Amino acid sequence: MGRITATELSWSVKGHRLLDNIDMAADDGKVVGLLGPNGSGKTTLVRLLAGLRRPDTGTVRYDDTSLHDLSRRLLARRLAVVEQDVYAHNHVSVRQVVELGRTPFRGRFDALTGHDERVVDAALERVDIADKQHQSWHTLSGGEKQRAQLARALAQEPREILLDEPTNHLDIRHQLELLDLLGSLDVTCVVALHDLNLAARYCDHVVILDHGQVVAAGSPETVLTPDLIVAVYGVSVLVDREPTTGASGSPT
Amino acid sequence: MSTAGRARNPITDRDADRARPRRAPTVALLLVAVVGLLVSVVTASLFGSADVGPVDVVSTILRHVGLGGIAPTPPLPRLLDALIWESRFPRVLLAAVVGAALAVSGAVLQAITRNPLADPYLLGVSSGASTGAVAVLLLGIGGGISLSTGAFVGGLVSFGVLLVLLGGGRVAGPSRVVLTGVLVSQFFAAVTSVILMVSGDANSTRGFTYWLLGTLAGARWEGVTGTVVVILIGVLAIQFFAPALDAFTFGWDSAAALGINVTAARIWLMVLTSLITAAAVAASGAIGFIGLLIPHAVRILANPMHRSLLPLSAIAGAVFLIWVDTFARSAFTPHELPAGVITALLGAPAFALVLKRLES
């Protein structure tokens, strides 16, 4: 109920191989971090997993169903995607943004049902932004926008959520709050991150990408070694395991 | 542990109650708008040289659509009847559908380009439609296809050029969208000028120049019926894509992740928008700014989501152009202003306001 499997995924643009033979899996209810330097293919992999780009080769499966056997609409009823881009061109309210999450469940001319309203309410509460629901989207701070986007994703009642660098532009407190929230959800999360500390602290499993290839995968403790970080990021670090945060999961 | 969907508590139930009244006005506003439209159609038909009352107008219209049995007054003299039914009413009707088409077209373009400053006139779609119409009429391109078909092809081509120049699904900043629109618009206007200069005599050039400014003076039944049918079908069909237009709020990938078939929606919306814009341009020339003015006004007054924005914009655009045209033909008698001149006088300040709001 919520397992994502990618097998031998490859993708090229104009002869440049951006992803090369990627194998990865996210188990039910786990938080899986996609790590790697800029340009390593994190965003591309998220798009392929979401079915937004078609891989040249390889397959993505949700539980036992191949992505291409699912219609866009059916996929959107179990998979939500939170992107980096949070610019809205029109003056929608926060609640209207979250209501977009009900799109895959609504007919073309259907009004929101009582159930839809309750799901939206619960999603707004879950990310703690219900008090701002009637404000214009443009009045929110960067952190609030990310939380509202997550509420929009939750309104899809997903089994899996893919997030592309959701902590970009957030201050440290909001980064921690957002990842805490992800960890507390009963949803499989695949999250592209560039912050190794955050990944070490919150992810159950990490996948390290470099030049479009998986160079390591496993639990943060086993994977995030000084040697690997030097090899991938080109910087030497001191890995210091704090007793309280070395283990994955949320501190609260 | 519960996910968003299953959690229930008293607080959220209260929130739902608080949210509901906000949505009710859409239906009420739609009713008010429809009544306003009917009143406008009848009242605007009263303006002009001969003195007739609103009841006479209603009776005349009812009699001509086969409902003479419920007409409240006896038939008018033949000349007066013809004045209302053959001259004023088709013109009011044309103003209504052209206004609706341009307003809906503006709302769709704003969602597709993700830019609040989009309008079929400002982005060059009207300009491309004009070029298509002039090319068919003066150059005989297309071997006997109609002026409207030429306008449709021209509109579609300019829309395609616009989207290619904007570069697919990436977010183009407001200034980039508007500047690209200026580019497309100026290019097609130049092509139109070349065709006019090379192929037209002085008289037809003058006629076309007046038409290009945007005027409803040419309204006759034989042209109006087709325009009404095309625009009604186009506007109703666009309504089917209201969920897609909402989902475009955060871009095309985001819409796809919400279960929208983005490619199909974009192609259909492009074709339908070109169709109604072209029908409007073929009938009345390039009337600008309605697509900018009306959807923004509706968004301020009502729910900005497209299920309500599209129908309300259609009706508000219809009422707006009916009154602009009534003013244009009766304020300075015996002179008549092109309606496009008045919409530009009103639209340019509105453009400035939207721009200011955008920057804040």
Side-chain angles (χ1 to χ4, degrees):
Chain A
M1 287 296 288
R3 183 182 159 84
I4 309 174
T5 325
T7 320
E8 295 174 5
L9 282 187
S10 293
W11 199 64
S12 315
V13 172
K14 291 174 188 160
H16 293 282
R17 185 152 267 217
L18 297 184
L19 288 179
D20 189 10
N21 214 20
I22 303 278
D23 286 301
M24 66 159 283
D27 287 331
D28 186 24
K30 296 283 193 270
V31 176
V32 175
L34 297 180
L35 303 177
N38 291 338
S40 58
K42 300 188 295 281
T43 297
T44 309
L45 181 54
V46 168
R47 289 193 175 143
L48 291 192
L49 292 177
L52 296 172
R53 303 288 180 275
R54 210 185 174 90
D56 300 334
T57 60
T59 51
V60 178
R61 289 180 175 278
Y62 284 87
D63 290 328
D64 295 323
T65 316
S66 167
L67 190 62
H68 293 293
D69 294 335
L70 285 164
S71 70
R72 281 245 64 98
R73 194 170 159 88
L74 281 178
L75 181 65
R77 289 181 179 185
R78 66 174 294 164
L79 172 74
V81 183
V82 177
E83 290 185 288
Q84 289 187 40
D85 181 10
V86 290
Y87 165 79
H89 68 278
N90 48 11
H91 283 249
V92 287
S93 73
V94 176
R95 188 181 177 88
Q96 282 160 344
V97 167
V98 178
E99 284 170 358
L100 287 177
R102 300 307 295 165
T103 304
F105 302 92
R106 289 173 78 181
R108 287 180 189 279
F109 300 105
D110 295 347
L112 288 168
T113 63
H115 174 71
D116 290 329
E117 300 274 9
R118 280 190 297 278
V119 172
V120 169
D121 288 329
L124 285 160
E125 291 288 334
R126 198 75 185 76
V127 305
D128 197 21
I129 204 159
D131 56 327
K132 305 212 162 157
Q133 59 177 300
H134 298 305
Q135 290 186 15
S136 168
W137 178 255
H138 300 268
T139 64
L140 296 190
S141 69
E144 289 165 343
K145 282 179 181 167
Q146 278 298 354
R147 266 151 61 204
Q149 285 292 349
L150 184 59
R152 200 255 306 137
L154 292 176
Q156 285 173 253
E157 298 177 281
R159 282 181 242 167
E160 302 93 4
I161 304 182
L162 307 176
L163 304 99
D164 187 12
E165 309 256 6
T167 55
N168 266 7
H169 315 302
L170 299 193
D171 60 37
I172 184 70
R173 196 186 115 216
H174 286 109
Q175 292 184 3
L176 298 179
E177 281 178 5
L178 190 84
L179 288 165
D180 262 344
L181 188 58
L182 288 186
S184 71
L185 296 172
D186 190 15
V187 178
T188 310
C189 294
V190 173
V191 49
L193 286 172
H194 60 250
D195 189 315
L196 299 177
N197 289 316
L198 289 176
R201 183 161 167 180
Y202 289 100
C203 295
D204 301 309
H205 184 92
V206 292
V207 176
I208 318 288
L209 294 173
D210 191 25
H211 294 99
Q213 292 181 317
V214 175
V215 291
S219 69
E221 304 89 86
T222 55
V223 168
L224 294 175
T225 58
D227 288 348
L228 179 109
I229 293 168
V230 171
V232 173
Y233 288 87
V235 291
S236 46
V237 292
L238 179 66
V239 173
D240 182 13
R241 290 186 204 286
E242 294 173 50
T244 50
T245 58
S248 56
S250 79
T252 47
Chain B
M1 204 183 278
S2 70
T3 62
R6 283 144 230 157
R8 286 187 74 171
N9 68 48
I11 299 171
T12 59
D13 288 347
R14 200 175 65 227
D15 278 350
D17 291 340
R18 203 191 318 140
R20 222 155 267 134
R22 209 167 38 83
R23 215 160 268 107
T26 298
V27 176
L29 276 173
L30 263 177
L31 278 175
V32 171
V34 169
V35 171
L37 176 61
L38 293 176
V39 170
S40 296
V41 167
V42 172
T43 324
S45 303
L46 301 177
F47 282 81
S49 50
D51 199 18
V52 288
V55 184
D56 293 327
V57 171
V58 174
S59 293
T60 307
I61 294 172
L62 286 175
R63 202 161 274 118
H64 280 279
V65 295
L67 293 169
I70 59 164
T73 55
L76 291 171
R78 188 177 288 256
L79 206 65
L80 218 49
D81 179 276
L83 176 74
I84 291 173
W85 183 250
E86 301 295 337
S87 166
R88 285 191 201 163
F89 186 64
R91 182 163 180 169
V92 169
L93 197 62
L94 185 66
V97 292
V98 167
L102 295 176
V104 168
S105 175
V108 171
L109 286 172
Q110 283 152 26
I112 288 187
T113 62
R114 299 179 67 200
N115 191 305
L117 291 173
D119 165 276
Y121 179 76
L122 293 173
L123 295 190
V125 180
S126 299
S127 182
S130 303
T131 305
V134 172
V136 165
L137 212 63
L138 290 184
L139 299 181
I141 288 173
I145 59 170
S146 70
L147 182 144
S148 313
T149 315
F152 173 59
V153 173
L156 204 57
V157 168
S158 56
F159 201 161
V161 170
L162 178 84
L163 288 182
V164 167
L165 289 178
L166 286 178
R170 277 176 285 128
V171 185
S175 44
R176 174 129 190 263
V177 173
V178 172
L179 289 175
T180 310
V182 169
L183 184 85
V184 174
S185 170
Q186 289 298 311
F187 175 77
F188 283 99
V191 175
T192 304
S193 297
V194 169
I195 298 172
L196 279 179
M197 298 304 166
V198 172
S199 323
D201 54 63
N203 255 340
S204 65
T205 303
R206 227 184 64 205
F208 266 115
T209 310
Y210 193 80
W211 171 74
L212 287 174
L213 285 172
T215 174
L216 295 144
R220 300 288 174 273
W221 271 122
E222 57 263 45
V224 170
T225 317
T227 309
V228 169
V229 170
V230 169
I231 290 178
L232 274 184
I233 291 174
V235 165
L236 288 174
I238 286 174
Q239 194 67 37
F240 272 87
F241 296 95
L245 290 166
D246 284 340
F248 286 160
T249 300
F250 293 100
W252 291 341
D253 275 350
S254 163
L258 287 168
I260 302 293
N261 184 340
V262 174
T263 310
R266 274 175 53 208
I267 292 173
W268 273 108
L269 283 166
M270 215 177 114
V271 168
L272 290 169
T273 309
S274 301
L275 186 70
I276 60 172
T277 305
V281 170
S284 63
I287 298 176
F289 293 99
I290 290 181
L292 184 77
L293 278 168
I294 300 299
H296 281 292
V298 173
R299 279 194 197 98
I300 290 168
L301 297 172
N303 185 333
M305 304 313 267
H306 289 82
R307 282 181 181 83
S308 74
L309 178 67
L310 292 174
L312 284 173
S313 293
I315 297 172
V319 171
F320 178 74
L321 191 54
I322 287 175
W323 287 110
V324 164
D325 184 55
T326 304
F327 179 80
R329 71 182 161 86
S330 54
F332 304 100
T333 33
H335 299 290
E336 187 172 303
L337 288 175
V341 171
I342 297 170
T343 59
L345 282 175
L346 296 169
F351 183 94
L353 281 177
V354 175
L355 193 62
K356 201 165 170 20
R357 198 175 165 205
L358 199 70
E359 283 165 351
S360 65

